[in-house]
Amino acid sequence: MSDRSLRGMRLGAQSMETESGVEPAPRQRVEYRCEDGEQVFVTFAAEAEIPAVWVSKSGKEALLVNGERPVDPNAKPVRTHWDMLLERRSVEELEQILEDRLTKLRERRGERRTA
């Protein structure tokens, strides 16, 4: 039985093909930088679309060097106090309220001067 046993190798552990004459795919090395200055280098295929943001091994978000900052489509525009005020009142109403308040303020100041 031992004279008929086959010698083999582990399946899937090694390839039977050699790498001679094989040209690797063209690649490009891209640099990302975190806010704290940490540099991250990632290698992509030459025809790959480069993402604007990459998460580093430390878990920090890194932005593409010389790239545009990505726009978050879910981000809401900042609403200021003035914007919220204009939702409740018109400019004409606000001007009238301002005039009323200034009149009252001037009357109070006039009363204090005479006293």
Side-chain angles (χ1 to χ4, degrees):
M1 185 98 115
S2 65
D3 59 339
R4 293 190 304 177
S5 64
L6 295 173
R7 289 194 171 218
M9 55 188 294
R10 296 170 298 222
L11 291 175
Q14 295 174 339
S15 172
M16 299 299 286
E17 296 180 11
T18 63
E19 293 186 13
S20 62
V22 176
E23 183 75 25
R27 294 178 262 181
Q28 59 180 328
R29 189 172 188 219
V30 180
E31 180 183 359
Y32 290 90
R33 193 166 293 144
C34 297
E35 287 184 13
D36 63 355
E38 177 186 351
Q39 290 179 325
V40 179
F41 294 97
V42 184
T43 303
F44 291 100
E47 66 272 358
E49 185 176 325
I50 308 300
V53 178
W54 190 263
V55 178
S56 68
K57 289 181 182 178
S58 60
K60 294 181 266 184
E61 203 172 72
L63 295 175
L64 181 65
V65 174
N66 298 328
E68 295 181 10
R69 181 173 290 275
V71 178
D72 185 12
N74 297 331
K76 293 182 179 180
V78 177
R79 280 182 32 189
T80 63
H81 179 72
W82 179 249
D83 295 331
M84 290 185 269
L85 186 62
L86 288 178
E87 290 175 4
R88 297 189 309 262
R89 307 231 187 230
S90 68
V91 175
E92 293 79 22
E93 285 179 298
L94 292 172
E95 287 176 350
Q96 183 60 44
I97 292 171
L98 176 64
E99 282 301 317
D100 293 344
R101 293 295 169 182
L102 285 174
T103 303
K104 286 183 180 181
L105 182 65
R106 288 178 184 133
E107 287 173 0
R108 266 194 283 157
R109 284 184 178 175
E111 292 173 2
R112 286 185 185 165
R113 287 183 195 158
T114 57

